[in-house]
Amino acid sequence: PHRLEVILSFITESETNNMIPATSLLQTVSKTAIHSARRQISATSAALADVSVEHGRGEWKTFGDPTTYQPGKFQVCTHNKISPDGLKKFPESQYEIKEGESAANAHAILLRSHKLQESEVPHTVRAIARCGAGTNNVPVARMTELGIPVFNTPGANANAVKELVLAGMLLGSRRVVDGINHMHSLGEQGLAKERVEKDKALFGGREIRGKTLAVIGLGHIGASTARDAEHLGMKVVGYDPGLSIENALKLPRSIDLSDSIANAVRDADYISINIPYIKGEGGTHGIIGKAIVENFKSGAVLLNFARGELVDSESLKAHLDTNNGRYISDFPDDLLWDHENSVILPHLGASTGEAEDAAAAMAAETIRDFLETGTIRNSVNFPATSLTAAPENSIRFTIVTRNTPGMLAHISEVFAQDDLNILQQINQSRGEVAYNVVDVDISVHGVVDFKGVQEKITMLDGVLSSRVIYGVPGTGYAKNLEGDYFV
């Protein structure tokens, strides 16, 4: 009955103020499924029952389609085919999964390679996660301006890409592809058995044991590649000016760290680039250019399973033409695609069932942690914020603001004006955005009405959005849309 009442109120009124008390809405939500133990926000059922928030002000065109609205659940919009194993991370009691346009009231977006447009992000969206490491298909800068965190899944596909890098080393050591094509041609002529022994000399090669591998970029993929290369008997040289402690601990003990890309590649027989593609000044576009390629030794093999734009094709062509070099990549290249010393594969890096499952599962867990507790991890535009359970008899309030001085003081002042005591407060910033987490004491209040407080805070100059996290999925979210209040 409550669910029907909420939907009808949206349909029949163009201007509506719907207060959703947790007592009635929780009738449609399994109390045992609201939070797993790991995500538990310390709030009793009694505390939940005493909290009211506003949900729904304005015309339905602001929200989406009322026929897709389901109170008491988070709605997740998917683009591309997302691994079913990953989607299973969303409990059916709390989440509904919809594809594309059918998710008109999405609270989160999950995608792989789909090029996301701003028009596909409704005002209801709190977060976006890509099942993969790169986020070039998401308008990250614009999402930051709108106060929406964008997440990725670093390391989820590391093993799949690492295995392809190792395969690339073997393809660059032996002319395996040329040999396959030759045997196919002989087979068509009926000469395979007659010529097989005689012609094998055309495709001689070398072994990788005892050779030197330079790994440029020592993140999840680079560190894993370096470790396995050592196990194969190779000498490993690495370069990464931003090497994290976590990844440093994964490196082989014998690795030599260089102070520049040029020094790292100088004596390398194989060079694997594992760095992100960053556009603009100071970025990584064409970073493997003439100044670097000139340091390649004769016969050096370049392995590019990161991004095609990292390599300057003209400069590399000179190495392939004159130094008997090799280029193995799974990105298209208009200049080198048919060069006799290059092997261009389809973009196969993360194209394994295991990688897709792992990436989808990680993305789902990241979205759940953010929606249910406010925790931020693996975000490419928001500050990392690790949160413990909220104190007992408290409600969690999160506020996204521009990173400007004085915001925290203004927010605290609003709580003080409404006699709300702050138990703990966290403020993190990254670039132009700041993320504030406030746990508010409700133990001394009979009924805690956050409607006015949330509107005052959300409409402060510099605030982008706010959330009241109190145990009822899909509610408690408000935005400042250039001076208009959306809730």
Side-chain angles (χ1 to χ4, degrees):
H2 176 77
R3 183 176 301 171
L4 178 62
E5 177 187 6
V6 173
I7 293 178
L8 287 177
S9 69
F10 278 126
I11 294 174
T12 57
E13 299 181 46
S14 61
E15 291 292 333
T16 306
N17 289 328
N18 289 305
M19 184 179 74
I20 298 187
T23 43
S24 55
L25 190 50
L26 277 176
Q27 294 172 5
T28 67
V29 182
S30 169
K31 291 183 180 179
T32 59
I34 285 180
H35 297 292
S36 66
R38 185 168 60 81
R39 297 183 176 84
Q40 181 68 36
I41 298 177
S42 297
T44 64
S45 296
L48 288 173
D50 291 336
V51 176
S52 292
V53 298
E54 183 179 354
H55 186 73
R57 180 191 296 189
E59 300 180 8
W60 255 108
K61 65 183 180 181
T62 307
F63 296 84
D65 183 353
T67 62
T68 73
Y69 178 74
Q70 189 169 357
K73 286 191 175 184
F74 289 116
Q75 186 178 105
V76 178
C77 171
T78 62
H79 293 283
N80 309 118
K81 185 179 179 181
I82 306 296
S83 162
D85 285 355
L87 295 179
K88 288 179 183 177
K89 296 293 183 179
F90 293 113
E92 292 184 4
S93 59
Q94 292 174 261
Y95 292 83
E96 60 174 353
I97 313 299
K98 291 180 174 288
E99 290 188 32
E101 295 180 356
S102 66
N105 309 288
H107 302 120
I109 294 175
L110 208 61
L111 75 163
R112 289 171 57 199
S113 58
H114 175 75
K115 190 169 181 61
L116 189 67
Q117 306 297 322
E118 183 181 345
S119 59
E120 298 174 301
V121 184
H123 295 325
T124 51
V125 168
R126 284 87 154 143
I128 298 168
R130 180 174 184 266
C131 303
T135 54
N136 294 340
N137 56 321
V138 178
V140 176
R142 180 56 179 156
M143 293 303 102
T144 305
E145 293 174 355
L146 295 175
I148 300 174
V150 178
F151 301 96
N152 65 351
T153 57
N157 64 0
N159 186 70
V161 178
K162 182 259 325 246
E163 289 184 359
L164 200 59
V165 172
L166 298 178
M169 279 200 292
L170 298 175
L171 291 176
S173 302
R174 311 279 189 94
R175 288 193 172 273
V176 176
V177 175
D178 292 338
I180 292 171
N181 293 335
H182 184 68
M183 289 302 295
H184 182 77
S185 175
L186 292 179
E188 289 180 333
Q189 302 172 55
L191 300 174
K193 291 183 178 180
E194 178 182 340
R195 298 274 297 276
V196 63
E197 290 298 326
K198 179 180 180 181
D199 290 359
K200 68 181 182 182
L202 298 172
F203 310 104
R206 66 189 184 196
E207 298 179 14
I208 62 175
R209 183 176 180 83
K211 302 302 188 297
T212 299
L213 169 67
V215 182
I216 311 303
L218 296 168
H220 294 282
I221 297 169
S224 182
T225 300
R227 191 170 57 249
D228 282 10
E230 184 193 49
H231 292 160
L232 291 171
M234 303 185 75
K235 178 184 177 182
V236 183
V237 178
Y239 171 77
D240 190 335
L243 180 62
S244 68
I245 295 176
E246 177 187 2
N247 287 322
L249 293 173
K250 298 176 182 177
L251 297 176
R253 289 176 177 269
S254 63
I255 191 172
D256 289 330
L257 295 178
S258 294
D259 58 2
S260 68
I261 297 178
N263 286 335
V265 305
R266 201 177 308 278
D267 297 316
D269 301 288
Y270 303 87
I271 301 149
S272 177
I273 50 177
N274 310 280
I275 56 179
Y277 175 61
I278 302 172
K279 296 180 180 179
E281 185 177 354
T284 56
H285 184 89
I287 194 169
I288 307 300
K290 183 178 180 181
I292 300 299
V293 174
E294 285 179 344
N295 289 281
F296 286 8
K297 66 189 293 186
S298 179
V301 178
L302 179 64
L303 308 161
N304 180 11
F305 294 91
R307 281 291 181 270
E309 296 89 344
L310 297 170
V311 175
D312 177 55
S313 300
E314 290 284 356
S315 299
L316 185 60
K317 184 176 184 298
H319 172 67
L320 303 184
D321 288 342
T322 61
N323 288 332
N324 194 33
R326 302 282 190 277
Y327 182 47
I328 317 296
S329 176
D330 67 342
F331 292 95
D333 191 299
D334 292 338
L335 180 64
L336 303 176
W337 66 273
D338 64 342
H339 196 286
E340 63 177 356
N341 286 339
S342 67
V343 176
I344 306 299
L345 307 171
H347 186 37
L348 300 177
S351 296
T352 67
E354 294 88 344
E356 292 179 6
D357 290 345
M362 183 183 291
E365 289 283 0
T366 301
I367 288 292
R368 285 195 62 193
D369 280 346
F370 177 72
L371 292 179
E372 296 175 28
T373 74
T375 292
I376 294 179
R377 58 186 173 88
N378 299 330
S379 174
V380 300
N381 63 336
F382 268 54
T385 308
S386 181
L387 301 175
T388 59
E392 188 175 355
N393 292 319
S394 71
I395 291 298
R396 178 157 288 170
F397 211 106
T398 68
I399 307 104
V400 179
T401 73
R402 297 189 184 94
N403 189 16
T404 55
M407 289 304 307
L408 202 55
H410 294 317
I411 292 169
S412 299
E413 184 179 354
V414 174
F415 284 114
Q417 290 172 353
D418 280 69
D419 295 324
L420 292 170
N421 181 42
I422 296 174
L423 296 179
Q424 65 179 7
Q425 195 169 28
I426 297 173
N427 172 264
Q428 304 279 17
S429 63
R430 179 175 178 178
E432 300 298 316
V433 70
Y435 185 62
N436 307 272
V437 182
V438 182
D439 291 331
V440 180
D441 183 15
I442 61 171
S443 62
V444 296
H445 296 270
V447 175
V448 185
D449 189 345
F450 276 112
K451 298 191 301 300
V453 175
Q454 186 169 24
E455 182 169 359
K456 290 176 188 176
I457 288 177
T458 306
M459 298 313 293
L460 288 171
D461 185 33
V463 172
L464 302 175
S465 66
S466 67
R467 284 201 299 149
V468 183
I469 302 176
Y470 67 110
V472 181
T475 64
Y477 183 62
K479 296 192 75 169
N480 185 337
L481 300 175
E482 298 180 351
D484 290 331
Y485 185 55
F486 168 87
V487 60

